[in-house]
Amino acid sequence: VTIGNSAFSGCAALKSISFPSTLKTIGQLAFSDSGIEELVIPSNVNEVGFFAFVSCQSLTKLTLSASLDAGTSNMQFYGCENLVDVEVTEGVTSIPTGMFDGCTGLKNVTLPESLTTIGGWVFANCTSLESLTIPASVTLMNDILCDGCTSLQALYMMPTTPPEMWSWGSDFNVKIYVPRESVSAYKTADGSLWSDYSGNNWPNPYN
């Protein structure tokens, strides 16, 4: 089952929706500018199109149970300024590039232990986000994960082995906390941006 491009775009009176277990694809702009308030994307979904939920200003809570290709750049929730809570559930292995870019109200993010790959710009310009915890399972964090997160104060890294990381972005000066036993590994990670990072009191052991 597929929900077509722009199928419910601009449906301001649409407050909630339940997706069937047979749904595989949500098309481009499918629910853009709609009135959805809370949303669950189930594990059976394998594709969410470009700007699928862009500018859904009534959306406050998202539960994501679908693993989506981290290499795509679909910016599915771009500009959802009142999205506050995001829970990515156990079983999800990847989050695609730019998924929450511009979600200026985002404050609470829960990521699962199953997560291995986080796409670039996933939390870019989330100006209300104050802290972020990366699970121990993550091995790859793509470009400029938190660029423009002007309220971000702390990044808690649970992986004992430094994940692959390509770029911090501009003006990134956040306290990064790593496992005490891994301080040396992060400081000396060969060819890694971890070892090049010269930010705020780096590194900070958290246990």
Side-chain angles (χ1 to χ4, degrees):
V1 173
T2 297
I3 297 176
N5 296 345
S6 302
F8 299 96
S9 180
C11 292
L14 179 63
K15 302 299 182 183
S16 65
I17 189 166
S18 179
F19 295 126
S21 60
T22 52
L23 181 65
K24 299 298 182 185
T25 302
I26 300 173
Q28 297 180 15
L29 296 161
F31 295 93
S32 61
D33 297 292
S34 68
I36 293 175
E37 297 172 349
E38 294 190 9
L39 182 66
V40 176
I41 299 181
S43 59
N44 47 279
V45 174
N46 54 37
E47 182 179 352
V48 180
F50 182 73
F51 276 11
F53 297 93
V54 68
S55 297
C56 288
Q57 302 302 354
S58 296
L59 182 65
T60 61
K61 183 177 181 180
L62 168 69
T63 302
L64 177 66
S65 296
S67 289
L68 304 172
D69 184 1
T72 60
S73 179
N74 285 335
M75 304 173 72
Q76 292 93 338
F77 292 92
Y78 182 80
C80 292
E81 296 177 354
N82 295 304
L83 178 60
V84 174
D85 299 297
V86 169
E87 179 185 5
V88 183
T89 64
E90 200 63 39
V92 173
T93 58
S94 60
I95 302 175
T97 295
M99 191 168 201
F100 302 111
D101 188 353
C103 292
T104 56
L106 184 60
K107 293 183 177 180
N108 306 309
V109 176
T110 303
L111 302 177
E113 290 299 328
S114 56
L115 189 66
T116 61
T117 305
I118 304 175
W121 294 276
V122 168
F123 300 108
N125 304 303
C126 292
T127 54
S128 296
L129 190 64
E130 296 181 355
S131 69
L132 182 66
T133 299
I134 304 299
S137 52
V138 171
T139 58
L140 175 61
M141 297 163 55
N142 286 325
D143 285 353
I144 317 179
L145 179 67
C146 299
D147 194 40
C149 292
T150 53
S151 298
L152 189 66
Q153 300 176 26
L155 180 64
Y156 294 92
M157 298 300 303
M158 299 295 132
T160 54
T161 300
E164 184 178 351
M165 180 72 180
W166 298 347
S167 173
W168 288 114
S170 59
D171 300 322
F172 187 82
N173 187 28
V174 173
K175 281 190 175 182
I176 301 176
Y177 295 84
V178 304
R180 184 173 297 276
E181 68 273 20
S182 300
V183 168
S184 178
Y186 276 83
K187 287 183 71 173
T188 60
D190 186 40
S192 166
L193 284 170
W194 298 111
S195 58
D196 295 337
Y197 182 58
S198 59
N200 194 358
N201 298 327
W202 161 257
N204 302 275
Y206 63 73
N207 58 10

